[in-house]
Amino acid sequence: MNSSFDLKTYLEGRRKLVDEWLEENLPRPVGPHSLVIEAMRYSALSKGKRIRPILLMAAADAVGGDGTRFLPQASALECIHAYSLIHDDLPAMDDDDLRRGVPTCHKAFGEAMAILAGDALLNYAFEILSSPSHSKGLDPETVISVIGTIGHASGINGMVGGQAADVLMEGKEVDEETLRFIHVHKTGAIIKAAIKAGAILGGADPIQLERMEEFGYHLGLLFQIKDDLLDVEGDEKRLGKRTKKDAEKKKATYPALFGIERTKQMGQEILKEAIDALSIFGPEADALRSVANYVVRRSR
Ligand code: GRG
């Protein structure tokens, strides 16, 4: 890997592009329903890492495409992510007051508006993905394939399925296979879809696509394992959310099942598998390699 790759500048630059796109393209709060639009904007525009959109663009770059051309598709993923955080924070789910350092959507706008803002963001994402103006120059098969990839990963076969399993397993003893199912679906599916969608948009050939999916699978699992570790060891201020919640709720996590040291070791092993999946790519995949290393090192 090219050691001169400046990850900090890269992440900041890409994050800024996503923030500006969302600021410009999310609906404006006018009309009798303006409050729910304010809630959508409040949550989607709050300070997140934008890692899913960044991964979509980086995957497109890695297969020889131009990632920034797919800023609308990348930003659509951030809308889905924002919806999932709003719903995850609701009293019926994790019941959290703080997210990204500010009050959660239902604390700021009430539960009804928060549920609706989440629903609206999910649907808005698919409006972006299917909009002719954002798909100019893409062939219809590519557009449909990206919509299918992201729809599959968001719903019962991905994030929603994983979240349901997570809720259903609270307080129960969970084996490694079930824990992996939860992590791979709840968090991993959208991360893998970001990478797969980016690869499809960037024009990946079948072998490149297969490797990208393998990379995405491992990175997605790794992301949630690190999230588990941050809940135990992380700094609340830096994370902008409450920590130690998993133990409180008797949630299935890697540190709870394997202990902190073994979890870190497993994280390194999964990181290696992720990086190995990229072995067919040259320096054009350095951003992906660098982001994978950052996922393990991150403190927020
Ligand atoms: C369908 C009613 C209904 C609810 C869905 C699917 C779902 C609720 C919630 C998704 C589960 C979830 C929030 C998993 C945790 C994923 C995770 C690690 C979130 C934090 O992501 P980061 O670290 O956060 O990328 P930022 O703030 O940087 O975007």
Side-chain angles (χ1 to χ4, degrees):
M1 190 178 127
N2 175 5
S3 58
S4 66
F5 185 81
D6 181 353
L7 181 69
K8 191 166 177 278
T9 306
Y10 174 82
L11 290 177
E12 269 171 23
R14 293 279 163 121
R15 189 159 51 224
K16 194 160 174 276
L17 289 178
V18 175
D19 285 344
E20 285 169 358
W21 195 92
L22 287 170
E23 170 64 48
E24 191 58 34
N25 289 280
L26 279 171
R28 308 267 157 190
V30 284
H33 60 321
S34 65
L35 192 63
V36 75
I37 301 175
E38 271 178 44
M40 287 169 79
R41 293 182 67 94
Y42 172 85
S43 289
L45 297 173
S46 60
K47 287 195 170 23
K49 295 184 289 295
R50 314 297 185 219
I51 212 73
R52 294 152 190 82
I54 291 173
L55 284 169
L56 185 148
M57 291 185 277
D61 287 330
V63 300
D66 169 12
T68 55
R69 199 187 138 202
F70 309 116
L71 199 46
Q73 291 78 6
S75 304
L77 270 180
E78 189 63 23
C79 292
I80 295 176
H81 176 54
Y83 127 76
S84 79
L85 298 180
I86 294 173
H87 282 195
D88 192 53
D89 289 335
L90 286 168
M93 300 237 187
D94 267 4
D95 193 11
D96 274 309
D97 296 351
L98 201 65
R99 168 71 66 182
R100 294 174 168 172
V102 294
T104 47
C105 193
H106 66 275
K107 283 283 158 192
F109 293 89
E111 265 186 67
M113 287 306 113
I115 292 170
L116 292 168
D119 293 341
L121 281 164
L122 172 63
N123 286 289
Y124 197 63
F126 286 96
E127 212 175 311
I128 299 168
L129 292 171
S130 57
S131 125
S133 67
H134 297 315
S135 307
K136 275 201 191 97
L138 294 172
D139 67 76
E141 257 179 54
T142 301
V143 175
I144 288 171
S145 172
V146 167
I147 293 172
T149 296
I150 295 176
H152 181 86
S154 307
I156 196 64
N157 293 304
M159 183 172 68
V160 173
Q163 177 79 351
D166 194 22
V167 169
L168 291 167
M169 293 302 154
E170 254 171 44
K172 298 206 173 98
E173 232 170 79
V174 164
D175 61 20
E176 185 177 355
E177 196 189 329
T178 311
L179 180 57
R180 189 179 269 246
F181 176 95
I182 293 171
H183 282 32
V184 161
H185 288 80
K186 179 178 80 167
T187 304
I190 293 285
I191 290 185
K192 183 178 166 188
I195 292 156
K196 184 177 173 186
I200 293 169
L201 289 162
D205 65 36
I207 292 173
Q208 288 179 322
L209 192 58
E210 197 183 304
R211 290 300 190 101
M212 282 292 169
E213 287 193 69
E214 206 181 315
F215 172 71
Y217 172 87
H218 288 107
L219 191 69
L221 176 60
L222 187 59
F223 197 89
Q224 184 56 51
I225 291 177
K226 180 66 185 187
D227 199 69
D228 287 355
L229 280 167
L230 287 171
D231 186 70
V232 181
E233 296 189 319
D235 175 53
E236 291 202 353
K237 257 217 164 103
R238 177 122 187 86
L239 288 165
K241 62 179 181 182
R242 204 156 59 82
T243 57
K244 317 273 189 294
K245 291 174 310 186
D246 294 339
E248 236 172 66
K249 294 195 100 183
K250 295 197 172 57
K251 272 213 179 185
T253 66
Y254 272 70
L257 197 59
F258 301 106
I260 289 180
E261 283 323 304
R262 176 71 189 124
T263 298
K264 287 183 178 168
Q265 207 179 12
M266 289 167 99
Q268 286 302 326
E269 287 159 16
I270 296 166
L271 172 64
K272 185 178 176 311
E273 291 190 71
I275 300 290
D276 284 352
L278 298 179
S279 63
I280 62 164
F281 299 98
E284 63 282 0
D286 276 355
L288 283 181
R289 295 184 181 97
S290 208
V291 172
N293 278 289
Y294 157 79
V295 163
V296 178
R297 288 195 325 267
R298 71 195 171 101
S299 58
R300 63 177 284 251

mmCIF file with all atom_site columns, all heavy atoms in Angstrom, residues 16-29 41 44-45 50 75:
data_model
loop_
_atom_site.group_PDB
_atom_site.id
_atom_site.type_symbol
_atom_site.label_atom_id
_atom_site.label_alt_id
_atom_site.label_comp_id
_atom_site.label_asym_id
_atom_site.label_entity_id
_atom_site.label_seq_id
_atom_site.pdbx_PDB_ins_code
_atom_site.Cartn_x
_atom_site.Cartn_y
_atom_site.Cartn_z
_atom_site.occupancy
_atom_site.B_iso_or_equiv
_atom_site.pdbx_formal_charge
_atom_site.auth_seq_id
_atom_site.auth_comp_id
_atom_site.auth_asym_id
_atom_site.auth_atom_id
_atom_site.pdbx_PDB_model_num
ATOM 1   N N   . LYS A 1 16 ? -17.059 16.247 3.362  1.00 0.00 ? 16 LYS A N   1
ATOM 2   C CA  . LYS A 1 16 ? -17.555 17.579 3.009  1.00 0.00 ? 16 LYS A CA  1
ATOM 3   C C   . LYS A 1 16 ? -18.457 17.493 1.764  1.00 0.00 ? 16 LYS A C   1
ATOM 4   O O   . LYS A 1 16 ? -19.522 18.118 1.712  1.00 0.00 ? 16 LYS A O   1
ATOM 5   C CB  . LYS A 1 16 ? -16.356 18.503 2.761  1.00 0.00 ? 16 LYS A CB  1
ATOM 6   C CG  . LYS A 1 16 ? -16.692 19.946 2.722  1.00 0.00 ? 16 LYS A CG  1
ATOM 7   C CD  . LYS A 1 16 ? -15.441 20.809 2.965  1.00 0.00 ? 16 LYS A CD  1
ATOM 8   C CE  . LYS A 1 16 ? -15.769 22.271 2.780  1.00 0.00 ? 16 LYS A CE  1
ATOM 9   N NZ  . LYS A 1 16 ? -15.706 22.720 1.383  1.00 0.00 ? 16 LYS A NZ  1
ATOM 10  N N   . LEU A 1 17 ? -18.027 16.705 0.799  1.00 0.00 ? 17 LEU A N   1
ATOM 11  C CA  . LEU A 1 17 ? -18.844 16.549 -0.423 1.00 0.00 ? 17 LEU A CA  1
ATOM 12  C C   . LEU A 1 17 ? -20.230 15.999 -0.089 1.00 0.00 ? 17 LEU A C   1
ATOM 13  O O   . LEU A 1 17 ? -21.244 16.470 -0.603 1.00 0.00 ? 17 LEU A O   1
ATOM 14  C CB  . LEU A 1 17 ? -18.161 15.587 -1.409 1.00 0.00 ? 17 LEU A CB  1
ATOM 15  C CG  . LEU A 1 17 ? -16.896 16.063 -2.120 1.00 0.00 ? 17 LEU A CG  1
ATOM 16  C CD1 . LEU A 1 17 ? -16.358 14.941 -3.009 1.00 0.00 ? 17 LEU A CD1 1
ATOM 17  C CD2 . LEU A 1 17 ? -17.208 17.295 -2.971 1.00 0.00 ? 17 LEU A CD2 1
ATOM 18  N N   . VAL A 1 18 ? -20.256 14.991 0.781  1.00 0.00 ? 18 VAL A N   1
ATOM 19  C CA  . VAL A 1 18 ? -21.543 14.372 1.151  1.00 0.00 ? 18 VAL A CA  1
ATOM 20  C C   . VAL A 1 18 ? -22.396 15.384 1.923  1.00 0.00 ? 18 VAL A C   1
ATOM 21  O O   . VAL A 1 18 ? -23.595 15.555 1.644  1.00 0.00 ? 18 VAL A O   1
ATOM 22  C CB  . VAL A 1 18 ? -21.310 13.089 1.991  1.00 0.00 ? 18 VAL A CB  1
ATOM 23  C CG1 . VAL A 1 18 ? -22.634 12.502 2.472  1.00 0.00 ? 18 VAL A CG1 1
ATOM 24  C CG2 . VAL A 1 18 ? -20.527 12.055 1.190  1.00 0.00 ? 18 VAL A CG2 1
ATOM 25  N N   . ASP A 1 19 ? -21.772 16.078 2.876  1.00 0.00 ? 19 ASP A N   1
ATOM 26  C CA  . ASP A 1 19 ? -22.515 17.072 3.671  1.00 0.00 ? 19 ASP A CA  1
ATOM 27  C C   . ASP A 1 19 ? -23.137 18.134 2.766  1.00 0.00 ? 19 ASP A C   1
ATOM 28  O O   . ASP A 1 19 ? -24.294 18.506 2.930  1.00 0.00 ? 19 ASP A O   1
ATOM 29  C CB  . ASP A 1 19 ? -21.587 17.750 4.687  1.00 0.00 ? 19 ASP A CB  1
ATOM 30  C CG  . ASP A 1 19 ? -21.265 16.830 5.865  1.00 0.00 ? 19 ASP A CG  1
ATOM 31  O OD1 . ASP A 1 19 ? -21.981 15.828 6.037  1.00 0.00 ? 19 ASP A OD1 1
ATOM 32  O OD2 . ASP A 1 19 ? -20.293 17.108 6.593  1.00 0.00 ? 19 ASP A OD2 1
ATOM 33  N N   . GLU A 1 20 ? -22.339 18.612 1.803  1.00 0.00 ? 20 GLU A N   1
ATOM 34  C CA  . GLU A 1 20 ? -22.837 19.670 0.905  1.00 0.00 ? 20 GLU A CA  1
ATOM 35  C C   . GLU A 1 20 ? -23.967 19.137 0.019  1.00 0.00 ? 20 GLU A C   1
ATOM 36  O O   . GLU A 1 20 ? -24.958 19.829 -0.212 1.00 0.00 ? 20 GLU A O   1
ATOM 37  C CB  . GLU A 1 20 ? -21.695 20.209 0.036  1.00 0.00 ? 20 GLU A CB  1
ATOM 38  C CG  . GLU A 1 20 ? -20.770 21.114 0.837  1.00 0.00 ? 20 GLU A CG  1
ATOM 39  C CD  . GLU A 1 20 ? -19.471 21.457 0.103  1.00 0.00 ? 20 GLU A CD  1
ATOM 40  O OE1 . GLU A 1 20 ? -19.250 20.961 -1.029 1.00 0.00 ? 20 GLU A OE1 1
ATOM 41  O OE2 . GLU A 1 20 ? -18.670 22.187 0.692  1.00 0.00 ? 20 GLU A OE2 1
ATOM 42  N N   . TRP A 1 21 ? -23.808 17.896 -0.443 1.00 0.00 ? 21 TRP A N   1
ATOM 43  C CA  . TRP A 1 21 ? -24.846 17.334 -1.320 1.00 0.00 ? 21 TRP A CA  1
ATOM 44  C C   . TRP A 1 21 ? -26.156 17.199 -0.556 1.00 0.00 ? 21 TRP A C   1
ATOM 45  O O   . TRP A 1 21 ? -27.228 17.564 -1.058 1.00 0.00 ? 21 TRP A O   1
ATOM 46  C CB  . TRP A 1 21 ? -24.403 15.977 -1.892 1.00 0.00 ? 21 TRP A CB  1
ATOM 47  C CG  . TRP A 1 21 ? -25.264 15.572 -3.060 1.00 0.00 ? 21 TRP A CG  1
ATOM 48  C CD1 . TRP A 1 21 ? -25.017 15.827 -4.376 1.00 0.00 ? 21 TRP A CD1 1
ATOM 49  C CD2 . TRP A 1 21 ? -26.531 14.891 -3.012 1.00 0.00 ? 21 TRP A CD2 1
ATOM 50  N NE1 . TRP A 1 21 ? -26.056 15.347 -5.149 1.00 0.00 ? 21 TRP A NE1 1
ATOM 51  C CE2 . TRP A 1 21 ? -27.002 14.767 -4.336 1.00 0.00 ? 21 TRP A CE2 1
ATOM 52  C CE3 . TRP A 1 21 ? -27.319 14.384 -1.973 1.00 0.00 ? 21 TRP A CE3 1
ATOM 53  C CZ2 . TRP A 1 21 ? -28.212 14.151 -4.658 1.00 0.00 ? 21 TRP A CZ2 1
ATOM 54  C CZ3 . TRP A 1 21 ? -28.529 13.773 -2.293 1.00 0.00 ? 21 TRP A CZ3 1
ATOM 55  C CH2 . TRP A 1 21 ? -28.964 13.658 -3.620 1.00 0.00 ? 21 TRP A CH2 1
ATOM 56  N N   . LEU A 1 22 ? -26.070 16.689 0.659  1.00 0.00 ? 22 LEU A N   1
ATOM 57  C CA  . LEU A 1 22 ? -27.285 16.501 1.470  1.00 0.00 ? 22 LEU A CA  1
ATOM 58  C C   . LEU A 1 22 ? -27.930 17.848 1.804  1.00 0.00 ? 22 LEU A C   1
ATOM 59  O O   . LEU A 1 22 ? -29.146 18.011 1.696  1.00 0.00 ? 22 LEU A O   1
ATOM 60  C CB  . LEU A 1 22 ? -26.955 15.734 2.759  1.00 0.00 ? 22 LEU A CB  1
ATOM 61  C CG  . LEU A 1 22 ? -26.662 14.238 2.596  1.00 0.00 ? 22 LEU A CG  1
ATOM 62  C CD1 . LEU A 1 22 ? -26.116 13.659 3.890  1.00 0.00 ? 22 LEU A CD1 1
ATOM 63  C CD2 . LEU A 1 22 ? -27.918 13.470 2.161  1.00 0.00 ? 22 LEU A CD2 1
ATOM 64  N N   . GLU A 1 23 ? -27.097 18.784 2.210  1.00 0.00 ? 23 GLU A N   1
ATOM 65  C CA  . GLU A 1 23 ? -27.587 20.136 2.553  1.00 0.00 ? 23 GLU A CA  1
ATOM 66  C C   . GLU A 1 23 ? -28.394 20.699 1.368  1.00 0.00 ? 23 GLU A C   1
ATOM 67  O O   . GLU A 1 23 ? -29.488 21.238 1.538  1.00 0.00 ? 23 GLU A O   1
ATOM 68  C CB  . GLU A 1 23 ? -26.372 21.020 2.883  1.00 0.00 ? 23 GLU A CB  1
ATOM 69  C CG  . GLU A 1 23 ? -26.630 22.502 3.040  1.00 0.00 ? 23 GLU A CG  1
ATOM 70  C CD  . GLU A 1 23 ? -27.544 22.836 4.203  1.00 0.00 ? 23 GLU A CD  1
ATOM 71  O OE1 . GLU A 1 23 ? -27.297 22.299 5.296  1.00 0.00 ? 23 GLU A OE1 1
ATOM 72  O OE2 . GLU A 1 23 ? -28.499 23.617 4.007  1.00 0.00 ? 23 GLU A OE2 1
ATOM 73  N N   . GLU A 1 24 ? -27.870 20.527 0.186  1.00 0.00 ? 24 GLU A N   1
ATOM 74  C CA  . GLU A 1 24 ? -28.477 21.080 -1.029 1.00 0.00 ? 24 GLU A CA  1
ATOM 75  C C   . GLU A 1 24 ? -29.700 20.282 -1.483 1.00 0.00 ? 24 GLU A C   1
ATOM 76  O O   . GLU A 1 24 ? -30.669 20.854 -1.991 1.00 0.00 ? 24 GLU A O   1
ATOM 77  C CB  . GLU A 1 24 ? -27.387 21.056 -2.130 1.00 0.00 ? 24 GLU A CB  1
ATOM 78  C CG  . GLU A 1 24 ? -27.682 21.793 -3.398 1.00 0.00 ? 24 GLU A CG  1
ATOM 79  C CD  . GLU A 1 24 ? -27.969 23.281 -3.172 1.00 0.00 ? 24 GLU A CD  1
ATOM 80  O OE1 . GLU A 1 24 ? -27.371 23.906 -2.257 1.00 0.00 ? 24 GLU A OE1 1
ATOM 81  O OE2 . GLU A 1 24 ? -28.809 23.771 -3.920 1.00 0.00 ? 24 GLU A OE2 1
ATOM 82  N N   . ASN A 1 25 ? -29.682 18.971 -1.303 1.00 0.00 ? 25 ASN A N   1
ATOM 83  C CA  . ASN A 1 25 ? -30.687 18.123 -1.948 1.00 0.00 ? 25 ASN A CA  1
ATOM 84  C C   . ASN A 1 25 ? -31.762 17.536 -1.040 1.00 0.00 ? 25 ASN A C   1
ATOM 85  O O   . ASN A 1 25 ? -32.734 16.959 -1.545 1.00 0.00 ? 25 ASN A O   1
ATOM 86  C CB  . ASN A 1 25 ? -29.996 16.979 -2.699 1.00 0.00 ? 25 ASN A CB  1
ATOM 87  C CG  . ASN A 1 25 ? -29.287 17.484 -3.935 1.00 0.00 ? 25 ASN A CG  1
ATOM 88  O OD1 . ASN A 1 25 ? -29.902 17.705 -4.965 1.00 0.00 ? 25 ASN A OD1 1
ATOM 89  N ND2 . ASN A 1 25 ? -27.976 17.726 -3.799 1.00 0.00 ? 25 ASN A ND2 1
ATOM 90  N N   . LEU A 1 26 ? -31.595 17.638 0.282  1.00 0.00 ? 26 LEU A N   1
ATOM 91  C CA  . LEU A 1 26 ? -32.683 17.171 1.149  1.00 0.00 ? 26 LEU A CA  1
ATOM 92  C C   . LEU A 1 26 ? -33.850 18.149 0.998  1.00 0.00 ? 26 LEU A C   1
ATOM 93  O O   . LEU A 1 26 ? -33.636 19.331 0.720  1.00 0.00 ? 26 LEU A O   1
ATOM 94  C CB  . LEU A 1 26 ? -32.212 17.119 2.615  1.00 0.00 ? 26 LEU A CB  1
ATOM 95  C CG  . LEU A 1 26 ? -31.397 15.892 3.017  1.00 0.00 ? 26 LEU A CG  1
ATOM 96  C CD1 . LEU A 1 26 ? -30.816 16.072 4.425  1.00 0.00 ? 26 LEU A CD1 1
ATOM 97  C CD2 . LEU A 1 26 ? -32.236 14.609 2.970  1.00 0.00 ? 26 LEU A CD2 1
ATOM 98  N N   . PRO A 1 27 ? -35.085 17.684 1.183  1.00 0.00 ? 27 PRO A N   1
ATOM 99  C CA  . PRO A 1 27 ? -36.230 18.589 1.049  1.00 0.00 ? 27 PRO A CA  1
ATOM 100 C C   . PRO A 1 27 ? -36.112 19.788 1.998  1.00 0.00 ? 27 PRO A C   1
ATOM 101 O O   . PRO A 1 27 ? -35.467 19.696 3.046  1.00 0.00 ? 27 PRO A O   1
ATOM 102 C CB  . PRO A 1 27 ? -37.417 17.716 1.459  1.00 0.00 ? 27 PRO A CB  1
ATOM 103 C CG  . PRO A 1 27 ? -36.955 16.320 1.349  1.00 0.00 ? 27 PRO A CG  1
ATOM 104 C CD  . PRO A 1 27 ? -35.480 16.322 1.545  1.00 0.00 ? 27 PRO A CD  1
ATOM 105 N N   . ARG A 1 28 ? -36.698 20.912 1.590  1.00 0.00 ? 28 ARG A N   1
ATOM 106 C CA  . ARG A 1 28 ? -36.688 22.142 2.419  1.00 0.00 ? 28 ARG A CA  1
ATOM 107 C C   . ARG A 1 28 ? -37.945 22.175 3.290  1.00 0.00 ? 28 ARG A C   1
ATOM 108 O O   . ARG A 1 28 ? -39.026 21.803 2.826  1.00 0.00 ? 28 ARG A O   1
ATOM 109 C CB  . ARG A 1 28 ? -36.705 23.391 1.535  1.00 0.00 ? 28 ARG A CB  1
ATOM 110 C CG  . ARG A 1 28 ? -35.638 23.412 0.480  1.00 0.00 ? 28 ARG A CG  1
ATOM 111 C CD  . ARG A 1 28 ? -34.401 24.127 0.957  1.00 0.00 ? 28 ARG A CD  1
ATOM 112 N NE  . ARG A 1 28 ? -33.265 23.665 0.182  1.00 0.00 ? 28 ARG A NE  1
ATOM 113 C CZ  . ARG A 1 28 ? -32.009 23.951 0.465  1.00 0.00 ? 28 ARG A CZ  1
ATOM 114 N NH1 . ARG A 1 28 ? -31.716 24.670 1.530  1.00 0.00 ? 28 ARG A NH1 1
ATOM 115 N NH2 . ARG A 1 28 ? -31.028 23.511 -0.285 1.00 0.00 ? 28 ARG A NH2 1
ATOM 116 N N   . PRO A 1 29 ? -37.808 22.647 4.512  1.00 0.00 ? 29 PRO A N   1
ATOM 117 C CA  . PRO A 1 29 ? -38.970 22.645 5.412  1.00 0.00 ? 29 PRO A CA  1
ATOM 118 C C   . PRO A 1 29 ? -40.003 23.727 5.095  1.00 0.00 ? 29 PRO A C   1
ATOM 119 O O   . PRO A 1 29 ? -40.006 24.790 5.702  1.00 0.00 ? 29 PRO A O   1
ATOM 120 C CB  . PRO A 1 29 ? -38.347 22.858 6.799  1.00 0.00 ? 29 PRO A CB  1
ATOM 121 C CG  . PRO A 1 29 ? -37.041 23.480 6.552  1.00 0.00 ? 29 PRO A CG  1
ATOM 122 C CD  . PRO A 1 29 ? -36.602 23.134 5.157  1.00 0.00 ? 29 PRO A CD  1
ATOM 123 N N   . ARG A 1 41 ? -33.868 16.672 8.252  1.00 0.00 ? 41 ARG A N   1
ATOM 124 C CA  . ARG A 1 41 ? -32.623 17.424 8.035  1.00 0.00 ? 41 ARG A CA  1
ATOM 125 C C   . ARG A 1 41 ? -31.760 17.428 9.294  1.00 0.00 ? 41 ARG A C   1
ATOM 126 O O   . ARG A 1 41 ? -30.536 17.289 9.230  1.00 0.00 ? 41 ARG A O   1
ATOM 127 C CB  . ARG A 1 41 ? -32.938 18.868 7.583  1.00 0.00 ? 41 ARG A CB  1
ATOM 128 C CG  . ARG A 1 41 ? -33.585 18.944 6.208  1.00 0.00 ? 41 ARG A CG  1
ATOM 129 C CD  . ARG A 1 41 ? -33.832 20.381 5.782  1.00 0.00 ? 41 ARG A CD  1
ATOM 130 N NE  . ARG A 1 41 ? -32.593 21.102 5.555  1.00 0.00 ? 41 ARG A NE  1
ATOM 131 C CZ  . ARG A 1 41 ? -31.983 21.229 4.372  1.00 0.00 ? 41 ARG A CZ  1
ATOM 132 N NH1 . ARG A 1 41 ? -32.517 20.695 3.300  1.00 0.00 ? 41 ARG A NH1 1
ATOM 133 N NH2 . ARG A 1 41 ? -30.855 21.886 4.264  1.00 0.00 ? 41 ARG A NH2 1
ATOM 134 N N   . ALA A 1 44 ? -30.176 13.829 9.491  1.00 0.00 ? 44 ALA A N   1
ATOM 135 C CA  . ALA A 1 44 ? -29.270 13.477 8.394  1.00 0.00 ? 44 ALA A CA  1
ATOM 136 C C   . ALA A 1 44 ? -28.067 14.419 8.326  1.00 0.00 ? 44 ALA A C   1
ATOM 137 O O   . ALA A 1 44 ? -26.974 14.004 7.938  1.00 0.00 ? 44 ALA A O   1
ATOM 138 C CB  . ALA A 1 44 ? -30.024 13.481 7.072  1.00 0.00 ? 44 ALA A CB  1
ATOM 139 N N   . LEU A 1 45 ? -28.269 15.680 8.721  1.00 0.00 ? 45 LEU A N   1
ATOM 140 C CA  . LEU A 1 45 ? -27.163 16.650 8.603  1.00 0.00 ? 45 LEU A CA  1
ATOM 141 C C   . LEU A 1 45 ? -26.322 16.756 9.874  1.00 0.00 ? 45 LEU A C   1
ATOM 142 O O   . LEU A 1 45 ? -25.325 17.475 9.890  1.00 0.00 ? 45 LEU A O   1
ATOM 143 C CB  . LEU A 1 45 ? -27.704 18.040 8.229  1.00 0.00 ? 45 LEU A CB  1
ATOM 144 C CG  . LEU A 1 45 ? -28.400 18.120 6.855  1.00 0.00 ? 45 LEU A CG  1
ATOM 145 C CD1 . LEU A 1 45 ? -29.047 19.480 6.640  1.00 0.00 ? 45 LEU A CD1 1
ATOM 146 C CD2 . LEU A 1 45 ? -27.402 17.829 5.735  1.00 0.00 ? 45 LEU A CD2 1
ATOM 147 N N   . ARG A 1 50 ? -19.928 9.730  7.880  1.00 0.00 ? 50 ARG A N   1
ATOM 148 C CA  . ARG A 1 50 ? -20.268 9.530  6.443  1.00 0.00 ? 50 ARG A CA  1
ATOM 149 C C   . ARG A 1 50 ? -19.478 8.367  5.837  1.00 0.00 ? 50 ARG A C   1
ATOM 150 O O   . ARG A 1 50 ? -19.060 8.420  4.670  1.00 0.00 ? 50 ARG A O   1
ATOM 151 C CB  . ARG A 1 50 ? -20.020 10.800 5.612  1.00 0.00 ? 50 ARG A CB  1
ATOM 152 C CG  . ARG A 1 50 ? -20.530 12.092 6.201  1.00 0.00 ? 50 ARG A CG  1
ATOM 153 C CD  . ARG A 1 50 ? -22.017 12.119 6.348  1.00 0.00 ? 50 ARG A CD  1
ATOM 154 N NE  . ARG A 1 50 ? -22.512 13.418 6.808  1.00 0.00 ? 50 ARG A NE  1
ATOM 155 C CZ  . ARG A 1 50 ? -23.496 13.574 7.680  1.00 0.00 ? 50 ARG A CZ  1
ATOM 156 N NH1 . ARG A 1 50 ? -24.085 12.521 8.241  1.00 0.00 ? 50 ARG A NH1 1
ATOM 157 N NH2 . ARG A 1 50 ? -23.922 14.764 8.021  1.00 0.00 ? 50 ARG A NH2 1
ATOM 158 N N   . SER A 1 75 ? -24.919 9.516  -1.122 1.00 0.00 ? 75 SER A N   1
ATOM 159 C CA  . SER A 1 75 ? -25.683 10.278 -0.126 1.00 0.00 ? 75 SER A CA  1
ATOM 160 C C   . SER A 1 75 ? -26.999 9.586  0.210  1.00 0.00 ? 75 SER A C   1
ATOM 161 O O   . SER A 1 75 ? -27.493 9.691  1.341  1.00 0.00 ? 75 SER A O   1
ATOM 162 C CB  . SER A 1 75 ? -25.950 11.694 -0.642 1.00 0.00 ? 75 SER A CB  1
ATOM 163 O OG  . SER A 1 75 ? -24.720 12.317 -0.973 1.00 0.00 ? 75 SER A OG  1
#
